[in-house]
Amino acid sequence: MHVDAGGRDVCRVEASGDGASVVLRDAAGRAVWEGAAGPGTFERAWPQLLRDAGQYVDHGPAWEGDAVAVAAELLSRAPQPFHPGSADLYDVDGLDEDDAEELCHGAVRVVARVFLEAEALAEYPFLQDWTEQRFAELYDTVAERLRAGYGPPLPDDRAVFLRGGDGERSVTWRAGDRLLVLQEWMVIGDGDVEIEIWLAAVDT
């Protein structure tokens, strides 16, 4: 899909499932050009701006596989310190005083993440809303799968937040003597926007 600065659909290229043909469509969906070749010649080009929810996924098994199994694996791990939001979650050496206060103890996976640069948001103002909607889709879907496996979560006022930011929500389950936490986290700095979804098993 190709869009203009206002987010309007200009045209799109569609490849067939077997990769044997490709079609160029205008904004109204009319085919303006078609090409054909042998199977496997063409491949879907993932959009760079209006991406599908799955393109933000960092840990595939939590989205494409069994989220309950991923949670069980986290709950089975020996707890260790980690810092949510860091590029390397378990590299806690050299943290400053403020970051050290945000340390958690347990095991964690980054389900999805994105970093939106201020320059891109200035040029494409619709991009943040689109991305937030895709992350809501990811978060709500994984939360529903975890509810199916672990039952009702704790009340909202007992939800655990691994780290605060500029917008976050959390669903928390008690699993034995540990807590299972699914958190969506957003931070805004100098016009940049960072969003992550974490699944963690933490000590109570």
Side-chain angles (χ1 to χ4, degrees):
M1 178 188 297
H2 299 270
V3 298
D4 62 17
R8 293 178 291 271
D9 189 351
V10 176
C11 64
R12 66 179 64 215
V13 179
E14 298 177 352
S16 62
D18 62 358
S21 64
V22 65
V23 179
L24 175 64
R25 299 187 184 278
D26 63 16
R30 295 184 294 263
V32 295
W33 180 85
E34 296 183 39
T41 301
F42 303 107
E43 183 178 4
R44 177 179 180 183
W46 291 97
Q48 296 300 308
L49 290 176
L50 303 185
R51 296 156 65 184
D52 293 339
Q55 290 181 264
Y56 299 105
V57 170
D58 194 73
H59 185 63
W63 175 248
E64 300 164 355
D66 186 350
V68 174
V70 174
E73 187 269 332
L74 291 170
L75 289 164
S76 71
R77 285 199 218 166
Q80 61 184 106
F82 67 88
H83 183 246
S86 294
D88 185 341
L89 295 164
Y90 293 103
D91 184 5
V92 298
D93 295 332
L95 293 178
D96 62 29
E97 185 175 340
D98 290 337
D99 287 342
E101 290 180 356
E102 297 172 332
L103 279 178
C104 301
H105 289 80
V108 63
R109 288 283 191 185
V110 178
V111 177
R113 73 171 95 204
V114 69
F115 184 84
L116 303 174
E117 295 183 349
E119 293 80 3
L121 293 174
E123 187 171 1
Y124 304 105
F126 59 86
L127 187 55
Q128 183 173 342
D129 286 344
W130 173 273
T131 305
E132 289 182 12
Q133 290 167 9
R134 302 291 77 72
F135 269 74
E137 179 183 341
L138 289 163
Y139 177 90
D140 291 341
T141 300
V142 174
E144 189 61 31
R145 292 171 181 171
L146 292 172
R147 285 188 180 93
Y150 288 94
L154 296 175
D156 290 345
D157 60 356
R158 296 177 59 191
V160 170
F161 290 88
L162 305 176
R163 181 180 177 183
D166 299 307
E168 52 275 328
R169 56 178 177 158
S170 173
V171 185
T172 306
W173 291 262
R174 179 171 293 280
D177 58 353
R178 306 184 79 182
L179 296 173
L180 181 65
V181 180
L182 178 70
Q183 180 180 340
E184 181 181 10
W185 172 79
M186 178 171 67
V187 65
I188 302 172
D190 299 324
D192 301 322
V193 176
E194 184 176 2
I195 310 174
E196 297 191 4
I197 296 175
W198 306 316
L199 179 59
V202 296
D203 295 343
T204 57

